[in-house]
């Protein structure tokens, strides 16, 4: 019988290999943020574009010689309106958040709309107002745009593509290489709200719960962390597709460290926990649109957490785990029952088109 250590070594060896893209066709799983997405990015895109900046696989590409970071994203969420937000707000917040967790203050974005023939003009007006409102709140300017219309049935109401640019903050020294054993893992709020709100708003399940999306700009949270921890803030990521679990797995693999998560310390709304249990989902894999994961040196973790909790929307921020040296590339969860389990990358497609 294999020992736990031997089993972990086998998993570690398999995970250490670079992902390959061998699928015959693109499936919805390739857009879910889990293993299929990882195989497509690492096995197809990254080798084809071979760029030192792209190789970092960050949320935004940093161009230090220009003092800026740049990111791009597409939004295809279904339905386009949901409790707590809409596709327009999501497009702005998702873009500025990729810049914020890269240590760049969001400054401007471009907007490309793909509209389906027959879309009611009132719905378009509503989303333009939502975009304008979210941009004002995030203090970014929409500086360029484009519009295309496709035939009826060739799009689902509307899709939005954005590109964002931000100025690299001098307080930031963020990278996956900076994550080190002893770092504390902090989440900025309760997890799973966005993904579960989208799922319930589709009406595909006979479930009703008071759950709203957490979509918001994360720059205030990033700003507070940079102020409190400075260069002791080693890395940040926003936990969107694939949730907190996928973020931890990506970063453990990229930085060659282990991460130990205390399941009981992770803040989860009771309604989200209840709905997830009924649907057989783990909230750690459910998407968020207003939650970041931060890695902070132990000596500055308490003050970073205190600063974060003063930011609106981050009152439930919590320290949820610690970085270890062994087994490298692995994420382990200490359960509420005193046991321990491996938390792998998301497999399959439990919740498509959530952003």
């Amino acid at each position: 019988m294999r020992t736990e250590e031997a089993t972990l070594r086998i998993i570690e060896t398999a995970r250490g290999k670079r992902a390959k893209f061998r699928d015959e066709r693109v499936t919805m799983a390739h857009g879910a943020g889990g293993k299929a997405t990882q195989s497509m990015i690492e096995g197809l895109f990254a080798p084809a574009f071979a760029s030192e900046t792209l190789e970092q696989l960050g949320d935004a590409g940093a161009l230090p010689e220009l003092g800026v970071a740049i990111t791009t994203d597409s939004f295809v969420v279904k339905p386009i309106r949901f409790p707590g937000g809409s596709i327009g707000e999501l497009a702005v917040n998702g873009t500025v958040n990729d810049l914020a967790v890269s240590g760049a203050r969001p400054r401007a974005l471009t907007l490309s709309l793909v509209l389906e023939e027959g879309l009611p003009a009132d719905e378009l007006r509503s989303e333009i107002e939502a975009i304008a409102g979210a941009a004002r709140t995030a203090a970014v300017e929409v500086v360029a745009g484009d519009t295309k219309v496709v035939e009826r049935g060739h799009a689902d109401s509307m899709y939005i593509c954005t590109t964002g640019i931000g100025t690299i903050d001098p307080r930031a020294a963020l990278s996956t290489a900076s994550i080190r054993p002893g770092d504390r893992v902090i989440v900025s709020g309760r997890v799973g709200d966005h993904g579960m709100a989208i799922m319930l708003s589709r009406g595909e399940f006979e479930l009703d719960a008071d759950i709203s999306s957490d979509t918001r700009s994360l720059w205030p949270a990033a700003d507070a962390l940079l102020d409190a921890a400075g260069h002791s803030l080693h890395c940040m990521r926003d936990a969107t597709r694939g949730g907190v679990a996928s973020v931890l797995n990506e970063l453990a693999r990229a930085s060659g460290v282990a991460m130990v998560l205390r399941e009981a310390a992770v803040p989860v709304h009771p309604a989200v926990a209840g709905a997830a249990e009924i649907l057989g989902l783990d909230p750690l894999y459910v998407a968020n649109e207003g939650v970041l994961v931060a890695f902070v040196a132990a000596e500055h973790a308490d003050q970073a957490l205190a600063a974060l909790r003063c930011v609106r929307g981050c009152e439930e921020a919590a320290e949820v785990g610690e970085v270890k040296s062994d087994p490298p590339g692995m994420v382990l969860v200490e359960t509420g029952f005193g046991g321990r389990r491996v938390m792998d990358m998301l497999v399959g497609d439990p919740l498509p088109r959530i952003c």
Side-chain angles (χ1 to χ4, degrees):
M1 182 178 293
R2 290 195 182 103
T3 64
E4 179 183 283
E5 183 179 357
T7 302
L8 291 176
R9 294 298 174 200
I10 292 171
I11 298 172
E12 175 191 329
T13 301
R15 287 164 56 87
K17 297 177 180 176
R18 190 177 184 106
K20 296 180 179 178
F21 183 66
R22 291 173 169 156
D23 301 309
E24 293 291 326
R25 295 179 184 277
V26 173
T27 69
M28 295 300 286
H30 290 104
K35 282 191 173 180
T37 306
Q38 182 188 36
S39 71
M40 186 168 65
I41 293 173
E42 293 187 9
L44 180 63
F45 299 159
F49 301 133
S51 151
E52 187 176 334
T53 302
L54 189 61
E55 190 71 22
Q56 303 299 316
L57 297 179
D59 286 311
L63 303 172
E65 66 276 17
L66 300 177
V68 300
I70 189 168
T71 188
T72 191
D73 213 336
S74 300
F75 296 85
V76 297
V77 62
K78 179 182 180 181
I80 63 171
R81 292 191 187 84
F82 44 83
S86 71
I87 190 172
E89 291 174 63
L90 208 56
V92 174
N93 292 334
T95 307
V96 302
N97 289 349
D98 284 345
L99 294 168
V101 297
S102 301
R105 181 184 291 271
R107 297 295 188 183
L109 58 85
T110 68
L111 189 68
S112 178
L113 301 175
V114 178
L115 308 176
E116 182 183 19
E117 178 189 22
L119 174 71
D122 283 347
E123 290 192 19
L124 177 59
R125 290 190 189 94
S126 177
E127 289 316 306
I128 295 302
E129 289 172 4
I131 291 168
R136 281 193 298 273
T137 301
V140 295
E141 189 177 2
V142 178
V143 296
D146 180 55
T147 305
K148 297 289 189 298
V149 179
V150 298
E151 295 87 348
R152 191 186 301 268
H154 287 232
D156 201 346
S157 298
M158 65 186 305
Y159 303 144
I160 301 177
C161 304
T162 53
T163 295
I165 190 165
T167 48
I168 297 173
D169 194 292
R171 298 168 295 175
L174 307 173
S175 77
T176 56
S178 298
I179 299 174
R180 60 196 63 168
D183 281 359
R184 301 297 192 257
V185 183
I186 292 173
V187 296
S188 65
R190 61 193 188 195
V191 306
D193 286 17
H194 176 73
M196 201 56 68
I198 296 294
M199 175 175 281
L200 299 186
S201 68
R202 289 178 185 166
E204 296 170 354
F205 306 97
E206 293 183 1
L207 283 175
D208 188 19
D210 184 18
I211 301 172
S212 296
S213 169
D214 59 0
T215 178
R216 65 171 66 88
S217 166
L218 282 172
W219 174 251
D223 191 32
L225 285 170
L226 288 168
D227 256 350
H231 287 190
S232 291
L233 175 62
H234 292 152
C235 189
M236 289 190 289
R237 285 288 172 88
D238 58 338
T240 54
R241 293 176 303 171
V244 171
S246 292
V247 166
L248 294 182
N249 272 280
E250 288 171 10
L251 296 182
R253 192 162 173 263
S255 54
V257 297
M259 298 186 188
V260 178
L261 188 72
R262 296 188 299 276
E263 191 172 44
V266 179
V268 183
H269 190 294
V272 171
E277 185 174 357
I278 292 171
L279 297 172
L281 299 173
D282 185 338
L284 291 169
Y285 289 95
V286 178
N288 313 277
E289 286 295 342
V291 173
L292 63 77
V293 183
F295 299 82
V296 186
E299 60 270 25
H300 287 100
D302 287 345
Q303 64 194 68
L305 184 59
L308 194 54
R309 284 175 173 164
C310 293
V311 177
R312 185 178 181 185
C314 300
E315 296 84 355
E316 296 182 58
E319 181 186 313
V320 298
E322 186 176 351
V323 178
K324 301 283 190 181
S325 57
D326 193 65
M330 300 283 291
V331 180
L332 304 175
V333 179
E334 293 178 349
T335 70
F337 299 104
R340 200 166 72 155
R341 63 182 169 89
V342 174
M343 187 168 70
D344 203 355
M345 288 283 287
L346 174 69
V347 177
D349 177 29
L351 203 63
R353 294 183 57 185
I354 46 81
C355 61

